[in-house]
């Protein structure tokens, strides 16, 4: 046996433990039978401030692509990548902008976002969402959807023409 065994990594906080159950998977399947092409789901309980930030980034990416094709799976992937790589100043600016947008409709929502911003500002990390339990909190299941509501083409990243794929 080795002379020194490295210590086990610390356990994830309870709020970051996966909550997907067979019931969740059944719900996803049944929703698909009801005509829903794509679902965005959380793997565990997620802070409201982070959820607001994720939704803002997700919908920006969802609306920024090809106008004839909505790709929620790709938008979720791009959102996760942005969160994983975003330096703290970019995250703080994004939260400030989001609080300013929300303030006219919901002063309390803006205050909650500002409070969340202070928790991020207090983190010692330069990249606040570098840990997988932050950037991988949400995932999308389903297809790209065409303008008329039909199923559109969705490329897997490893396929030619897919994000990060070949030609």
């Amino acid at each position: 046996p080795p002379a020194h065994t490295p210590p086990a990594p610390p356990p994830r906080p309870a709020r970051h433990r996966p909550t997907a159950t067979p019931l969740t998977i059944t719900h996803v399947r049944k929703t698909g039978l009801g005509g829903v092409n794509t679902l965005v789901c959380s793997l565990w309980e997620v802070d409201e401030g982070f959820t607001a930030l994720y939704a803002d980034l997700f919908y920006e990416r969802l609306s920024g692509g090809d106008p004839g094709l909505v790709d929620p799976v790709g938008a979720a992937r791009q959102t996760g990548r942005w969160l994983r790589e975003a330096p703290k100043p970019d995250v703080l600016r994004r939260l400030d902008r989001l609080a300013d947008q929300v303030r006219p409709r919901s002063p309390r929502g803006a205050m909650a976002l500002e409070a969340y911003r202070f928790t991020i500002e207090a983190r010692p990390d330069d990249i606040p969402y570098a840990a997988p339990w932050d950037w991988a909190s949400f995932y999308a299941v389903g297809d790209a959807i065409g303008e008329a509501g039909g199923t559109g083409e969705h490329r897997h990243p490893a396929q030619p023409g897919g994000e990060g794929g070949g030609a």
Side-chain angles (χ1 to χ4, degrees), residues 91-129:
V91 172
L92 296 176
R93 276 192 295 277
R94 189 71 183 220
L95 287 168
D96 288 339
R97 186 183 61 74
L98 188 55
D100 289 342
Q101 286 177 340
V102 168
R103 187 169 286 107
R105 294 183 314 272
S106 174
R108 285 182 128 170
M111 287 175 53
L113 282 166
E114 289 166 350
Y116 179 70
R117 182 201 187 280
F118 287 117
T119 65
I120 298 304
E121 191 171 29
R123 285 186 178 185
D125 320 332
D126 291 333
I127 309 289
Y129 301 116

Side-chain angles (χ1 to χ4, degrees), residues 38 40 53-63 71-77 79 94 140:
T38 308
V40 176
L53 176 63
Y54 185 94
D56 185 54
L57 291 162
F58 174 79
Y59 283 109
E60 177 182 277
R61 278 141 185 80
L62 194 61
S63 65
D71 183 7
V73 175
R77 186 181 316 110
T79 301
R94 189 71 183 220

Side-chain angles (χ1 to χ4, degrees), residues 6 13 24 75:
T24 305

Side-chain angles (χ1 to χ4, degrees), residues 27 42 68-69 71 74 80 85 100 118 129 133 142 157 160:
H27 177 71
S42 67
L69 183 68
D71 183 7
E85 298 170 356
D100 289 342
F118 287 117
Y129 301 116
W133 50 81

